[in-house]
Short mmCIF file of all heavy atoms in Angstrom, two decimals:
data_model
loop_
_atom_site.label_atom_id
_atom_site.label_comp_id
_atom_site.label_asym_id
_atom_site.label_seq_id
_atom_site.Cartn_x
_atom_site.Cartn_y
_atom_site.Cartn_z
N LEU A 456 112.96 63.12 -127.88
CA LEU A 456 112.13 62.21 -128.68
C LEU A 456 111.04 61.56 -127.83
O LEU A 456 109.87 61.55 -128.19
CB LEU A 456 113.02 61.13 -129.30
CG LEU A 456 113.69 61.46 -130.62
CD1 LEU A 456 114.63 60.34 -131.01
CD2 LEU A 456 112.63 61.65 -131.69
N ILE A 457 111.49 61.02 -126.69
CA ILE A 457 110.54 60.29 -125.85
C ILE A 457 109.55 61.25 -125.22
O ILE A 457 108.35 60.95 -125.10
CB ILE A 457 111.29 59.48 -124.77
CG1 ILE A 457 112.11 58.37 -125.44
CG2 ILE A 457 110.33 58.86 -123.78
CD1 ILE A 457 111.30 57.36 -126.18
N ALA A 458 110.03 62.43 -124.81
CA ALA A 458 109.11 63.40 -124.21
C ALA A 458 108.05 63.79 -125.22
O ALA A 458 106.88 63.92 -124.88
CB ALA A 458 109.88 64.63 -123.74
N GLU A 459 108.45 63.92 -126.46
CA GLU A 459 107.49 64.26 -127.51
C GLU A 459 106.45 63.15 -127.63
O GLU A 459 105.25 63.42 -127.71
CB GLU A 459 108.24 64.47 -128.84
CG GLU A 459 107.39 64.97 -129.97
CD GLU A 459 106.59 66.22 -129.61
OE1 GLU A 459 107.16 67.13 -128.99
OE2 GLU A 459 105.39 66.25 -129.94
N ALA A 460 106.94 61.91 -127.61
CA ALA A 460 106.02 60.77 -127.71
C ALA A 460 105.07 60.75 -126.52
O ALA A 460 103.86 60.54 -126.66
CB ALA A 460 106.81 59.47 -127.76
N PHE A 461 105.62 61.02 -125.35
CA PHE A 461 104.83 61.00 -124.11
C PHE A 461 103.76 62.10 -124.16
O PHE A 461 102.60 61.86 -123.87
CB PHE A 461 105.78 61.22 -122.94
CG PHE A 461 105.21 60.86 -121.60
CD1 PHE A 461 105.39 59.59 -121.08
CD2 PHE A 461 104.53 61.79 -120.85
CE1 PHE A 461 104.89 59.26 -119.84
CE2 PHE A 461 104.01 61.47 -119.61
CZ PHE A 461 104.20 60.19 -119.11
N CYS A 462 104.19 63.30 -124.54
CA CYS A 462 103.27 64.43 -124.56
C CYS A 462 102.18 64.22 -125.60
O CYS A 462 101.02 64.49 -125.34
CB CYS A 462 104.01 65.72 -124.88
SG CYS A 462 105.12 66.19 -123.58
N SER A 463 102.57 63.73 -126.76
CA SER A 463 101.53 63.58 -127.77
C SER A 463 100.59 62.45 -127.39
O SER A 463 99.42 62.47 -127.78
CB SER A 463 102.13 63.38 -129.16
OG SER A 463 102.77 62.15 -129.21
N ALA A 464 101.08 61.49 -126.59
CA ALA A 464 100.17 60.45 -126.08
C ALA A 464 99.13 61.10 -125.18
O ALA A 464 97.95 60.79 -125.26
CB ALA A 464 100.95 59.39 -125.34
N LEU A 465 99.59 62.00 -124.32
CA LEU A 465 98.66 62.69 -123.42
C LEU A 465 97.68 63.56 -124.20
O LEU A 465 96.49 63.60 -123.91
CB LEU A 465 99.44 63.57 -122.44
CG LEU A 465 100.05 62.88 -121.23
CD1 LEU A 465 100.93 63.85 -120.47
CD2 LEU A 465 98.97 62.34 -120.31
N GLU A 466 98.23 64.26 -125.20
CA GLU A 466 97.38 65.18 -125.95
C GLU A 466 96.36 64.45 -126.80
O GLU A 466 95.20 64.87 -126.88
CB GLU A 466 98.25 66.08 -126.83
CG GLU A 466 98.89 67.18 -126.02
CD GLU A 466 99.94 67.95 -126.79
OE1 GLU A 466 100.31 67.51 -127.90
OE2 GLU A 466 100.40 68.98 -126.28
N SER A 467 96.80 63.35 -127.39
CA SER A 467 95.81 62.67 -128.22
C SER A 467 94.78 61.97 -127.34
O SER A 467 93.65 61.74 -127.77
CB SER A 467 96.46 61.69 -129.19
OG SER A 467 97.03 60.63 -128.50
N LEU A 468 95.16 61.69 -126.09
CA LEU A 468 94.17 61.19 -125.13
C LEU A 468 93.12 62.26 -124.89
O LEU A 468 91.91 61.99 -124.91
CB LEU A 468 94.88 60.82 -123.83
CG LEU A 468 94.00 60.41 -122.67
CD1 LEU A 468 93.36 59.06 -122.96
CD2 LEU A 468 94.79 60.34 -121.39
N ALA A 469 93.58 63.48 -124.66
CA ALA A 469 92.64 64.58 -124.45
C ALA A 469 91.82 64.79 -125.71
O ALA A 469 90.61 65.03 -125.65
CB ALA A 469 93.40 65.85 -124.09
N GLY A 470 92.52 64.64 -126.86
CA GLY A 470 91.83 64.86 -128.12
C GLY A 470 90.72 63.87 -128.37
O GLY A 470 89.74 64.18 -129.06
N SER A 471 90.85 62.68 -127.77
CA SER A 471 89.82 61.70 -128.06
C SER A 471 88.54 61.97 -127.27
O SER A 471 87.59 61.20 -127.35
CB SER A 471 90.34 60.28 -127.80
OG SER A 471 91.03 60.21 -126.60
N LEU A 472 88.51 63.07 -126.51
CA LEU A 472 87.26 63.47 -125.87
C LEU A 472 86.30 64.01 -126.92
O LEU A 472 85.09 64.06 -126.71
CB LEU A 472 87.53 64.56 -124.83
CG LEU A 472 88.07 64.10 -123.49
CD1 LEU A 472 88.56 65.29 -122.71
CD2 LEU A 472 87.00 63.37 -122.71
N GLU A 473 86.87 64.48 -128.01
CA GLU A 473 86.06 65.07 -129.06
C GLU A 473 85.65 63.98 -130.05
O GLU A 473 86.50 63.30 -130.60
CB GLU A 473 86.90 66.15 -129.77
CG GLU A 473 86.22 66.84 -130.89
CD GLU A 473 84.96 67.56 -130.45
OE1 GLU A 473 85.08 68.45 -129.59
OE2 GLU A 473 83.88 67.21 -130.93
N HIS A 474 84.37 63.82 -130.23
CA HIS A 474 83.91 62.75 -131.11
C HIS A 474 83.14 63.26 -132.31
O HIS A 474 82.76 62.49 -133.17
CB HIS A 474 83.01 61.78 -130.35
CG HIS A 474 83.72 61.09 -129.25
ND1 HIS A 474 84.52 60.00 -129.45
CD2 HIS A 474 83.78 61.34 -127.93
CE1 HIS A 474 85.02 59.59 -128.30
NE2 HIS A 474 84.59 60.40 -127.36
N ASP A 475 82.87 64.53 -132.33
CA ASP A 475 81.95 65.03 -133.35
C ASP A 475 82.68 65.78 -134.46
O ASP A 475 82.12 66.68 -135.07
CB ASP A 475 80.89 65.90 -132.71
CG ASP A 475 80.11 65.11 -131.68
OD1 ASP A 475 79.65 64.02 -132.03
OD2 ASP A 475 80.03 65.56 -130.51
N GLY A 476 83.93 65.44 -134.63
CA GLY A 476 84.66 66.05 -135.73
C GLY A 476 85.09 67.48 -135.45
O GLY A 476 85.51 68.19 -136.37
N GLY A 477 84.99 67.91 -134.22
CA GLY A 477 85.40 69.26 -133.88
C GLY A 477 86.91 69.39 -133.80
O GLY A 477 87.64 68.41 -133.89
N GLU A 478 87.34 70.63 -133.66
CA GLU A 478 88.77 70.87 -133.55
C GLU A 478 89.14 71.07 -132.08
O GLU A 478 88.32 71.53 -131.27
CB GLU A 478 89.14 72.13 -134.33
CG GLU A 478 89.20 71.91 -135.83
CD GLU A 478 90.32 70.98 -136.24
OE1 GLU A 478 91.25 70.78 -135.44
OE2 GLU A 478 90.26 70.46 -137.37
N ILE A 479 90.38 70.74 -131.77
CA ILE A 479 90.82 70.93 -130.40
C ILE A 479 91.92 71.96 -130.37
O ILE A 479 92.89 71.88 -131.13
CB ILE A 479 91.29 69.61 -129.78
CG1 ILE A 479 90.08 68.70 -129.64
CG2 ILE A 479 91.91 69.83 -128.43
CD1 ILE A 479 90.38 67.31 -129.96
N LEU A 480 91.75 72.91 -129.49
CA LEU A 480 92.73 73.99 -129.37
C LEU A 480 93.33 73.95 -127.98
O LEU A 480 92.77 73.37 -127.06
CB LEU A 480 92.03 75.34 -129.55
CG LEU A 480 91.23 75.51 -130.84
CD1 LEU A 480 90.38 76.75 -130.72
CD2 LEU A 480 92.17 75.61 -132.02
N THR A 481 94.46 74.57 -127.88
CA THR A 481 95.00 74.77 -126.55
C THR A 481 95.43 76.22 -126.44
O THR A 481 95.88 76.81 -127.41
CB THR A 481 96.17 73.79 -126.28
OG1 THR A 481 96.67 74.06 -124.98
CG2 THR A 481 97.29 73.95 -127.28
N ASP A 482 95.25 76.78 -125.26
CA ASP A 482 95.66 78.17 -125.12
C ASP A 482 97.12 78.22 -124.74
O ASP A 482 97.67 77.27 -124.19
CB ASP A 482 94.80 78.88 -124.09
CG ASP A 482 95.01 78.34 -122.72
OD1 ASP A 482 95.90 78.82 -122.01
OD2 ASP A 482 94.29 77.38 -122.34
N MET A 483 97.75 79.33 -125.06
CA MET A 483 99.20 79.42 -124.88
C MET A 483 99.56 80.00 -123.52
O MET A 483 100.71 80.36 -123.29
CB MET A 483 99.83 80.28 -125.99
CG MET A 483 99.46 79.82 -127.39
SD MET A 483 100.01 78.16 -127.74
CE MET A 483 101.67 78.49 -128.23
N LYS A 484 98.58 80.13 -122.66
CA LYS A 484 98.89 80.69 -121.36
C LYS A 484 98.81 79.62 -120.27
O LYS A 484 99.72 79.43 -119.49
CB LYS A 484 97.91 81.82 -121.05
CG LYS A 484 98.29 82.61 -119.82
CD LYS A 484 97.36 83.80 -119.64
CE LYS A 484 97.59 84.45 -118.30
NZ LYS A 484 96.45 85.31 -117.94
N HIS A 485 97.68 78.92 -120.25
CA HIS A 485 97.50 77.92 -119.20
C HIS A 485 97.69 76.50 -119.72
O HIS A 485 97.83 75.57 -118.93
CB HIS A 485 96.09 78.03 -118.61
CG HIS A 485 95.74 79.41 -118.17
ND1 HIS A 485 96.31 80.00 -117.08
CD2 HIS A 485 94.90 80.33 -118.70
CE1 HIS A 485 95.83 81.22 -116.93
NE2 HIS A 485 94.98 81.46 -117.92
N GLY A 486 97.66 76.37 -121.03
CA GLY A 486 97.76 75.02 -121.59
C GLY A 486 96.51 74.21 -121.37
O GLY A 486 96.59 73.01 -121.17
N HIS A 487 95.37 74.85 -121.39
CA HIS A 487 94.14 74.11 -121.17
C HIS A 487 93.54 73.65 -122.48
O HIS A 487 94.02 73.97 -123.56
CB HIS A 487 93.15 74.96 -120.37
CG HIS A 487 93.37 74.83 -118.90
ND1 HIS A 487 92.36 74.81 -117.99
CD2 HIS A 487 94.51 74.71 -118.19
CE1 HIS A 487 92.86 74.68 -116.78
NE2 HIS A 487 94.17 74.62 -116.87
N PHE A 488 92.49 72.89 -122.33
CA PHE A 488 91.88 72.19 -123.46
C PHE A 488 90.63 72.94 -123.90
O PHE A 488 89.77 73.24 -123.07
CB PHE A 488 91.53 70.78 -122.96
CG PHE A 488 90.72 69.94 -123.88
CD1 PHE A 488 91.34 69.03 -124.72
CD2 PHE A 488 89.34 70.04 -123.91
CE1 PHE A 488 90.59 68.22 -125.54
CE2 PHE A 488 88.60 69.24 -124.74
CZ PHE A 488 89.21 68.33 -125.57
N TRP A 489 90.55 73.27 -125.16
CA TRP A 489 89.39 73.99 -125.68
C TRP A 489 88.91 73.23 -126.90
O TRP A 489 89.70 72.85 -127.75
CB TRP A 489 89.74 75.41 -126.09
CG TRP A 489 90.38 76.21 -124.99
CD1 TRP A 489 91.65 76.13 -124.56
CD2 TRP A 489 89.75 77.20 -124.19
NE1 TRP A 489 91.87 77.01 -123.53
CE2 TRP A 489 90.71 77.68 -123.29
CE3 TRP A 489 88.46 77.73 -124.16
CZ2 TRP A 489 90.42 78.67 -122.34
CZ3 TRP A 489 88.19 78.73 -123.23
CH2 TRP A 489 89.15 79.18 -122.31
N SER A 490 87.65 73.04 -126.95
CA SER A 490 87.17 72.36 -128.15
C SER A 490 86.19 73.26 -128.88
O SER A 490 85.47 74.07 -128.26
CB SER A 490 86.52 71.03 -127.78
OG SER A 490 85.14 71.07 -127.91
N VAL A 491 86.21 73.15 -130.18
CA VAL A 491 85.36 74.01 -130.99
C VAL A 491 84.63 73.13 -131.99
O VAL A 491 85.13 72.07 -132.38
CB VAL A 491 86.22 75.10 -131.67
CG1 VAL A 491 87.11 74.50 -132.75
CG2 VAL A 491 85.36 76.20 -132.24
N GLN A 492 83.45 73.58 -132.35
CA GLN A 492 82.65 72.73 -133.24
C GLN A 492 83.28 72.60 -134.62
O GLN A 492 84.10 73.41 -135.01
CB GLN A 492 81.26 73.32 -133.38
CG GLN A 492 80.38 72.90 -132.22
CD GLN A 492 78.99 73.43 -132.35
OE1 GLN A 492 78.70 74.20 -133.25
NE2 GLN A 492 78.15 73.04 -131.41
N ALA A 493 82.85 71.59 -135.27
CA ALA A 493 83.44 71.28 -136.57
C ALA A 493 83.26 72.43 -137.55
O ALA A 493 82.29 73.19 -137.47
CB ALA A 493 82.80 70.02 -137.13
N GLY A 494 84.21 72.51 -138.44
CA GLY A 494 84.13 73.48 -139.53
C GLY A 494 84.15 74.93 -139.10
O GLY A 494 83.22 75.70 -139.35
N PRO A 495 85.20 75.33 -138.37
CA PRO A 495 85.27 76.73 -137.97
C PRO A 495 85.49 77.60 -139.20
O PRO A 495 86.18 77.20 -140.13
CB PRO A 495 86.47 76.77 -137.04
CG PRO A 495 87.31 75.62 -137.44
CD PRO A 495 86.42 74.59 -138.00
N PRO A 496 84.93 78.76 -139.20
CA PRO A 496 85.16 79.67 -140.32
C PRO A 496 86.63 80.03 -140.41
O PRO A 496 87.36 79.98 -139.41
CB PRO A 496 84.29 80.88 -140.00
CG PRO A 496 83.98 80.78 -138.53
CD PRO A 496 84.04 79.33 -138.18
N SER A 497 87.06 80.40 -141.58
CA SER A 497 88.48 80.60 -141.81
C SER A 497 89.02 81.78 -141.00
O SER A 497 90.02 81.66 -140.31
CB SER A 497 88.74 80.80 -143.30
OG SER A 497 87.86 81.81 -143.78
N ALA A 498 88.33 82.89 -141.10
CA ALA A 498 88.77 84.03 -140.32
C ALA A 498 87.98 84.02 -139.03
O ALA A 498 86.77 84.28 -139.04
CB ALA A 498 88.51 85.32 -141.09
N VAL A 499 88.66 83.69 -137.97
CA VAL A 499 87.89 83.44 -136.76
C VAL A 499 88.26 84.42 -135.66
O VAL A 499 89.40 84.85 -135.54
CB VAL A 499 88.10 82.01 -136.24
CG1 VAL A 499 87.31 81.05 -137.07
CG2 VAL A 499 89.56 81.67 -136.22
N ASN A 500 87.28 84.67 -134.91
CA ASN A 500 87.50 85.40 -133.69
C ASN A 500 87.34 84.38 -132.56
O ASN A 500 86.23 84.08 -132.12
CB ASN A 500 86.46 86.52 -133.59
CG ASN A 500 86.74 87.37 -132.38
OD1 ASN A 500 87.80 87.26 -131.77
ND2 ASN A 500 85.79 88.20 -132.03
#
Side-chain angles (χ1 to χ4, degrees):
Chain A
L456 275 174
I457 294 297
E459 186 51 45
F461 196 92
C462 293
S463 68
L465 279 173
E466 282 170 350
S467 68
L468 174 69
S471 45
L472 281 168
E473 179 60 61
H474 296 279
D475 301 309
E478 283 294 342
I479 293 140
L480 305 168
T481 179
D482 66 89
M483 307 299 276
K484 189 174 170 198
H485 308 289
H487 274 217
F488 172 97
W489 305 77
S490 107
V491 70
Q492 277 182 355
S497 51
V499 283
N500 185 12

